[in-house]
């Protein structure tokens, strides 16, 4: 219990500090921070609407916005466990989404279940390859994975936009999007899932099966990292590559493995986007899910449970940001991006709090948790 | 075909487009040589571009805008420096946070200042940085389109040479490189690693912000949302491609990258 609290305390402090600074910014802009935060929280976690009726809207959208962040958060966390920083989730999810759409368009004759399975596989494989490239370059030539993943983001976006523009767009469509995928490849929304149970979940909320897939992915990542040999080896490489090497672990292979799995997880964002929401590939759909994934992973302390919680927090911020945008005069939804950035900065500057905390509560700050 | 490749408009636009990259890459170079990776170049450019545009809107003077941009760059770099040097935050993570921060901050502030969604008002023509008029466009169109550029274009060229000189011919440069290559040895020799790294990162921020200011009040006449469009990352790539050397490698790298941008 005490270790759990210890794990939670620094992320919590970071979030609170970020909200305080965000409040200051709101005051400078000339709005009321308490009102802004009240809007932010009630519109994302509130169970009742403005008139006081029970509603699924807020939680439904919060979890829908959290879904891609769970995938990218897990992606970044898995790579970080191997000591690698994957900044390329953005590109990996882009190729993943396109691959899912490509399967849904090309194999439209297949029955639903199989088509969905192949689409999910395609998203994972495409993202996995995109992650494996910097992994192989790192393992073979020692080139820095941060630079290579950033650069591959540009390559991914360029490549996919070329394919969309020239091969998979409907004739004369002014929007950069592919033609729709086959109808049987659509993932069931919570509306369809919950109606047999007699729960009236609104049809308009795009929350779909991929949220459950994200939770499953979280469980699998945990089981892989803490219950399998390869997972152990990845963690060993992450905490000390030299020691791992002498312990007989093939460091290069684990680097490639970690990057491929990381890319595959990022690719799964495409499942939510294409099979669950838009039913086609829509270019530039990601408002920085890949980068937000870094924040989610850090805030969740690279643990799947933490990642899911952090992703829900960020999903709530994204949902609440829309309301802040509409219902306040001066604050726009960009406040959310600023809050997220400040959270990352504070989480990264853990030493700042640890020093202060150790002074007052020696037992809390002294142990170095990683 | 060769007429198309080697015409003067291409040379002129290559020079124009390479300037923000050269400035940002030089910035990245100072930080990197002192031992701090500056992934935040993109965010620092955005901070500089936004500040330059806003201050010019209010003061009607682009030169004050540029000075304000440099101050903003120093401030953002200071944040990166405090996080990474004093509080040992991961350099890449801190840089990424700053990049995300400065996607949000300009949008948030421009919404509050100008009621827009991330853009500043268009500046009138006489408040944008003027071209340096070496040649009369009427008499010699080729020479004037190549040489009549914004002052920052010339500043970028001069700063490249200056950086090469500082890095390899001055005491400061020697210490900067020593701190980057072997901090323990430098520390033993009595060089303050912290101070050298702070100066490296701060110079880096100022230069990157200058590159951003060139975009918003030199090449264009307003700030638009995410107007650097990945130039900070491209500059970082040019820097690596150029082996962290200002004159012999980085400058040609920036030049060739921007030539590709021209269509």
């Amino acid at each position: 219990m005490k270790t759990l609290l210890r794990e939670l305390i620094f992320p919590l402090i970071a979030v609170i500090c970020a909200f305080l600074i965000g409040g200051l910014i709101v005051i400078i802009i000339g709005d009321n921070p308490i009102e802004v935060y009240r809007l932010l929280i009630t519109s994302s976690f509130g169970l009742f609407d403005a008139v006081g009726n029970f509603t699924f809207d807020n939680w439904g959208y919060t979890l829908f916005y959290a879904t891609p962040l769970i995938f990218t958060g897990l992606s970044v966390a898995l790579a970080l466990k191997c000591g690698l920083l994957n900044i390329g989730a953005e590109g990996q999810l882009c190729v993943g989404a396109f691959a899912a759409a490509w399967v849904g368009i090309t194999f439209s004759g297949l029955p639903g279940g199989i088509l969905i399975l192949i689409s999910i596989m395609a998203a994972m494989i495409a993202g996995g390859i995109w992650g494996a490239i910097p992994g192989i370059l790192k393992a073979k030539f020692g080139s820095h994975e941060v630079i290579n993943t950033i650069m591959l983001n540009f390559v991914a976006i360029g490549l996919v936009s070329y394919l969309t523009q020239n091969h998979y767009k409907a004739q004369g469509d002014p929007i950069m999007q592919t033609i729709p995928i086959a109808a049987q490849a659509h993932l069931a929304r919570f509306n369809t899932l919950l109606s047999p149970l007699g729960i009236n979940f609104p049809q308009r909320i795009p929350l779909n099966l991929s949220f459950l897939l994200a939770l499953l992915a979280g469980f699998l990542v945990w089981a892989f990292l803490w219950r399998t040999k390869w997972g152990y080896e990845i963690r060993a490489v992450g905490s000390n590559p030299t020691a791992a090497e002498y312990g007989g672990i093939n460091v290069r292979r684990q680097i490639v493995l970690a990057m491929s799995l990381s890319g595959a997880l990022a690719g799964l964002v495409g499942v939510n986007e294409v099979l669950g929401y838009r039913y086609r590939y829509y270019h530039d759909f990601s408002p920085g899910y890949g980068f937000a994934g870094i924040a989610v992973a850090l805030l969740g302390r690279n643990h799947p449970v933490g990642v899911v919680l952090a992703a829900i927090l960020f999903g709530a911020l994204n949902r609440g940001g829309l309301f802040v945008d509409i219902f306040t005069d001066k604050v726009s939804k960009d406040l959310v991006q600023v809050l997220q950035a400040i959270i990352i900065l504070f989480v990264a500057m853990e030493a700042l709090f640890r020093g202060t905390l150790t002074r007052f509560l020696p037992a809390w700050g002294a142990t170095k948790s990683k | 075909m060769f007429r198309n490749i080697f015409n003067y408009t291409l040379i002129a636009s290559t020079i124009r487009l390479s300037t923000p990259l050269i400035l940002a890459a030089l910035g990245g170079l100072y930080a990197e040589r002192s031992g701090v990776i500056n992934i935040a170049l993109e965010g620092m450019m955005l901070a500089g571009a936004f500040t330059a545009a806003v201050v010019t809107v209010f003061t009607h003077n682009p030169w004050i805008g540029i000075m304000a941009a440099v101050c903003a760059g120093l401030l953002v770099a200071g944040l990166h420096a405090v996080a990474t040097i004093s509080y040992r935050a991961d350099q890449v993570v801190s840089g990424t946070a700053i990049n995300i921060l400065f996607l949000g901050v300009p949008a948030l502030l421009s919404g509050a200042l100008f009621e827009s969604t991330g853009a500043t008002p268009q500046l009138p023509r006489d408040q944008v940085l003027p071209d340096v008029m070496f040649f009369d466009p009427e008499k010699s169109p080729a020479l004037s389109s190549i040489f009549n550029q914004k002052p920052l274009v010339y500043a970028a060229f001069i700063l490249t040479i200056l950086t090469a000189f500082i890095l390899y011919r001055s005491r400061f440069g020697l210490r900067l490189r020593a701190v980057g290559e072997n901090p323990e040895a430098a520390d033993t020799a009595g060089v303050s690693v912290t101070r050298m790294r702070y100066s490296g990162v701060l110079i880096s921020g100022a230069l990157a912000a200058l590159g951003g200011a060139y975009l918003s009040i030199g090449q264009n006449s307003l700030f638009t949302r995410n107007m650097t469009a990945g130039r900070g990352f491209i500059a970082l790539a040019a820097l690596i491609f150029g082996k962290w050397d200002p004159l012999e490698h980085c400058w040609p790298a920036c030049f060739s990258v921007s030539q590709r941008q021209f269509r």
Side-chain angles (χ1 to χ4, degrees):
Chain A
M1 192 62 204
K2 194 163 180 193
T3 47
L4 181 73
L5 273 175
R6 199 176 279 148
E7 286 291 313
L8 276 175
I9 190 144
F10 289 114
L12 262 181
I13 296 175
V15 170
I16 292 167
C17 286
F19 271 73
L20 286 177
I21 293 184
L24 272 179
I25 296 174
V26 171
I27 292 174
I28 292 169
I29 290 173
D31 231 313
N32 180 0
I34 297 170
E35 179 58 24
V36 168
Y37 285 141
R38 194 190 62 79
L39 261 171
L40 203 61
I41 293 165
T42 50
S43 61
S44 52
F45 291 130
L47 285 173
F48 301 97
D49 61 13
V51 216
N53 295 324
F54 179 78
T55 172
F56 278 115
D57 273 21
N58 300 331
W59 271 95
Y61 275 104
T62 293
L63 295 182
F64 170 68
Y65 289 132
T67 310
L69 297 177
I70 298 178
F71 286 127
T72 53
L74 288 172
S75 159
V76 175
L78 197 142
L80 271 178
K81 274 286 170 200
C82 192
L84 302 162
L85 187 62
N86 179 9
I87 302 204
E90 197 69 31
Q92 292 147 12
L93 65 89
C94 192
V95 289
F98 185 82
W102 178 76
V103 170
I105 292 165
T106 315
F107 303 103
S108 54
L110 291 173
I114 299 173
L115 189 55
I116 289 174
L117 266 184
I118 302 178
S119 281
I120 295 177
M121 294 288 287
M124 289 181 71
I125 291 170
I129 291 173
W130 223 252
I133 297 169
I136 293 168
L137 290 175
K138 168 104 178 175
K140 280 243 185 270
F141 308 109
S143 57
H144 206 303
E145 83 279 1
V146 168
I147 306 298
N148 285 331
T149 47
I150 289 176
M151 290 305 145
L152 277 173
N153 286 345
F154 292 105
V155 180
I157 288 161
L159 178 70
V160 168
S161 95
Y162 165 78
L163 287 172
T164 310
Q165 177 73 26
N166 294 312
H167 295 288
Y168 292 96
K169 217 168 78 163
Q171 200 85 52
D173 191 346
I175 305 167
M176 270 288 270
Q177 58 186 15
T178 63
I179 49 178
I181 60 169
Q184 70 271 25
H186 296 188
L187 275 183
R189 292 192 171 184
F190 267 49
N191 168 266
T192 357
L193 290 175
L194 292 177
S195 56
L197 303 172
I199 301 170
N200 185 19
F201 197 85
Q203 166 74 39
R204 64 176 176 277
I205 300 177
L207 184 64
N208 56 70
L209 262 182
S210 19
F211 176 67
L212 301 182
L213 182 69
L215 294 184
L216 177 71
F219 173 75
L220 290 178
V221 166
W222 172 81
F224 172 74
L225 280 178
W226 278 276
R227 290 290 179 272
T228 66
K229 177 170 161 275
W230 278 8
Y232 169 78
E233 292 187 354
I234 281 181
R235 285 187 295 130
V237 172
S239 39
N240 191 336
T242 325
E245 181 102 62
Y246 282 110
I249 291 170
N250 187 340
V251 175
R252 294 172 175 207
R253 196 189 63 196
Q254 296 306 323
I255 286 175
V256 177
L257 178 69
M259 281 307 292
S260 316
L261 290 176
S262 176
L265 282 165
L268 281 173
V269 171
V271 175
N272 182 48
E273 178 68 22
V274 174
L275 304 186
Y277 177 39
R278 285 191 216 264
Y279 307 130
R280 58 173 79 208
Y281 174 79
Y282 177 88
H283 192 56
D284 253 354
F285 68 88
S286 164
Y289 290 138
F291 294 111
I294 300 167
V296 168
L298 287 170
L299 192 62
R301 303 189 74 81
N302 299 334
H303 192 284
V305 177
V307 165
V308 170
L309 291 177
I312 291 175
L313 173 73
F314 275 38
L317 286 177
N318 287 341
R319 157 79 178 167
L322 297 175
F323 278 72
V324 170
D325 208 43
I326 296 165
F327 291 111
T328 60
D329 291 338
K330 290 187 172 155
V331 182
S332 62
K333 63 174 188 295
D334 304 291
L335 175 69
V336 169
Q337 206 157 30
V338 173
L339 282 177
Q340 292 178 349
I342 303 175
I343 291 176
I344 315 181
L345 262 181
F346 276 123
V347 172
M349 281 197 287
E350 211 183 274
L352 175 72
F353 308 121
R354 180 152 279 143
T356 329
L357 210 63
T358 324
R359 209 170 299 152
F360 298 111
L361 284 166
W364 284 88
T367 43
K368 190 167 160 49
S369 51
K370 173 99 185 180
Chain B
M1 183 189 166
F2 279 102
R3 272 183 67 91
N4 283 333
I5 294 175
F6 296 108
N7 60 16
Y8 60 81
T9 29
L10 174 68
I11 298 171
S13 68
T14 304
I15 294 172
R16 258 202 317 277
L17 290 169
S18 68
T19 301
L21 289 179
I22 291 173
L23 286 168
L26 284 180
L29 188 129
Y30 278 99
E32 200 115 352
R33 283 289 180 130
S34 77
V36 179
I37 306 169
N38 196 351
I39 297 270
L41 282 175
E42 179 86 5
M44 293 169 182
M45 286 180 88
L46 280 171
F50 180 68
T51 315
V54 171
V55 171
T56 311
V57 165
F58 286 118
T59 60
H60 312 295
N61 185 340
W63 299 104
I64 300 180
I66 285 191
M67 278 193 277
V70 170
C71 293
L74 287 173
L75 216 63
V76 180
L79 185 66
H80 189 52
V82 169
T84 55
I85 302 165
S86 299
Y87 290 106
R88 308 272 162 145
D90 189 296
Q91 295 170 354
V92 175
V93 172
S94 162
T96 310
I98 286 173
N99 286 337
I100 298 175
L101 190 64
F102 284 93
L103 278 180
V105 167
L108 195 61
L109 292 182
S110 66
L113 288 171
F114 312 112
E115 312 223 325
S116 73
T117 54
T120 61
Q122 180 110 27
L123 292 164
R125 228 186 144 74
D126 59 318
Q127 287 176 24
V128 177
L129 278 182
D131 282 334
V132 184
M133 287 303 201
F134 282 120
F135 295 96
D136 188 356
E138 303 273 306
K139 282 182 195 149
S140 46
L143 286 174
S144 72
S145 78
I146 293 173
F147 289 103
N148 288 7
Q149 303 274 9
K150 308 283 175 200
L152 280 181
V153 173
Y154 287 96
F157 278 74
I158 295 165
L159 280 168
T160 311
I161 298 164
L162 195 67
T163 302
F165 180 79
I166 290 175
L167 208 59
Y168 299 118
R169 290 280 181 275
S170 78
R171 187 191 288 184
F172 175 80
L174 179 68
R175 289 183 173 174
L176 196 78
R177 285 184 290 137
V179 162
E181 277 166 29
N182 196 337
E184 287 88 359
D187 194 45
T188 315
V191 179
S192 165
V193 177
T194 314
R195 192 188 300 163
M196 290 315 293
R197 287 199 169 163
Y198 261 92
S199 21
V201 174
L202 287 176
I203 295 173
S204 173
L207 287 170
L210 216 51
Y214 172 79
L215 281 178
S216 68
I217 59 170
Q219 203 170 298
N220 299 293
S221 54
L222 75 167
F223 176 86
T224 52
R225 199 187 184 96
N226 194 16
M227 84 179 303
T228 53
R231 281 190 181 82
F233 294 123
I234 301 287
L236 203 64
L239 183 62
I240 293 164
F241 188 58
K243 298 179 184 168
W244 299 278
D245 177 273
L247 204 52
E248 278 173 46
H249 298 100
C250 276
W251 180 79
C254 289
F255 216 66
S256 63
V257 168
S258 34
Q259 203 162 36
R260 302 289 177 279
Q261 286 184 338
F262 185 70
R263 276 178 282 208

